[in-house]
Each structure stands twice: as structure tokens, then as C-alpha cells.
Amino acid sequence: MQSLNFIDRHPLIGQRGFTLIEAMVSVAIIAVLAAMAAPAFQTMTERMAVSTVTDEMVASVNLTRNTAIGNNGNVVIRKLTEAETGLAGICSTTQNWSCGWQVFLDPNGNATLDGGEQIVQTFAIANNVVVMRSVNGANMTANRWGQLAGINAVGYTLSPKGTGVGSPATTTICVNSGGRVRVLQGAVAC
């Protein structure tokens, strides 16, 4: 009869794990793959940020038009100011809408948010997307037919902050006086 001792019966005795060299090679391969994926991940993140702001801008223009039709006109979409957002140096010109925008009812037709006028929507942009309007202008007013008064066509170029309009994530929104909105890839003229 053959006797079995503890060492012969224990399942982990005699098995080997990874050597230090094998573990270091595995970590090196993972590091190389992560380094190759990082630029693609950054581009994807930039595209998502620009896409989110693009969708909000298109929705806000459509909201402005639809609200104007339902309220017999005088609905304004206007850029937020640095004072309202607390973002100094971000949107100091009427061409730079990077602080965000606001849609409001303007019954007196002065295109200024006065006390008592109803705010329909406010959208403040996170500090990662730059929105530049193609021509100077701090607002657009929709009339009772949903047409945007005072513009022939205006474009908004949206790009990730830091990389600029050369980024593959750059998008242009074109709005014509009838209120039609087109979204185009890249920094293009409307």
C-alpha cells in the first residue's frame, strides 16, 4: 500500500506563477497599448463635448423659433455675459458665445432681458468648448412666424478649447434668416 503525504495531496504545491520577467513584459505591453489609445480617446472626448454643445445650440434655436410662433413673436436668444457666468476673459466680445446663451420672451421688443420678462431656457457652457459667431451680435430675435430678424445667415463655429478650429471635432452651425439650421463638420463658411 502506498502512502500519500500532505505534499502529494495539496493542489497548489508544484504549480508555478508568473515570473518577474513575464509580469514586466505584460505591463510593458499594456503601457504601449494605452499610449496608442490615448490620442484617440482625447479626440473622442473632444468630439463628445462639441457634439453636446452643438445639440444644445440647435435645440435652443429651434426652441426660440417655436416659442416665438406660439407667443406671437419677440423671443430672443442672447449670449450670456461674463458677469452673469463669472467666467472672466472667456466671452468678452459679441462674437464669442463661449459662456452660453439664454432664451427669453421679450414682449417689449427691445432685445434686452428686463425685469419681469420670462426666461425660457439658460444654457451655460462648461469651460471646454469655444463657440464663435461668424459676425458680431449678442442676440437673435424670432418673430411670430419663427423667422430670425436682422440676419441673412449666421454661423457658429464650435471647437474644443485648447486645440482650436484645426481639431477634427470642430463643427459649424449655420442658421439662415428663416431659422433653418444646418450642422457641418469643420470650420466652414455658411
Side-chain angles (χ1 to χ4, degrees):
M1 184 180 251
Q2 189 176 8
S3 73
L4 296 172
N5 61 24
F6 175 76
I7 294 175
D8 293 333
R9 289 182 292 169
H10 196 276
L12 296 179
I13 303 295
Q15 293 183 0
R16 295 182 46 199
F18 291 108
T19 65
L20 182 59
I21 301 286
E22 290 170 332
M24 289 175 59
V25 168
S26 297
V27 169
I29 290 171
I30 290 171
V32 168
L33 291 175
M36 288 173 30
F41 183 73
Q42 180 181 356
T43 300
M44 181 184 73
T45 304
E46 289 175 348
R47 284 183 195 270
M48 286 177 30
V50 170
S51 177
T52 298
V53 177
T54 300
D55 292 345
E56 287 294 335
M57 174 63 89
V58 170
S60 294
V61 170
N62 289 330
L63 176 65
T64 302
R65 294 182 64 234
N66 292 336
T67 304
I69 291 168
N71 288 287
N72 204 23
N74 291 336
V75 177
V76 175
I77 180 171
R78 72 170 184 97
K79 74 180 238 66
L80 293 174
T81 65
E82 291 178 343
E84 292 169 315
T85 60
L87 299 172
I90 300 296
C91 49
S92 56
T93 68
T94 58
Q95 233 176 330
N96 191 336
W97 284 49
S98 298
C99 287
W101 51 86
Q102 198 167 52
V103 177
F104 66 93
L105 301 177
D106 187 33
N108 63 7
N110 68 353
T112 303
L113 181 61
D114 300 316
E117 293 181 336
Q118 180 184 353
I119 297 172
V120 178
Q121 178 197 46
T122 300
F123 181 74
I125 299 176
N127 198 16
N128 58 353
V129 177
V130 176
V131 180
M132 294 299 290
R133 185 171 160 151
S134 60
V135 295
N136 284 329
N139 60 48
M140 294 185 292
T141 302
N143 63 21
R144 65 183 177 176
W145 297 286
Q147 297 170 327
L148 298 171
I151 65 167
N152 291 326
V154 66
Y156 294 88
T157 302
L158 292 80
S159 60
K161 185 175 183 175
T163 56
V165 294
S167 169
T170 299
T171 302
T172 300
I173 301 172
C174 297
V175 183
N176 69 14
S177 61
R180 180 173 177 246
V181 179
R182 290 183 306 143
V183 176
L184 305 168
Q185 288 305 115
V188 296
C190 291

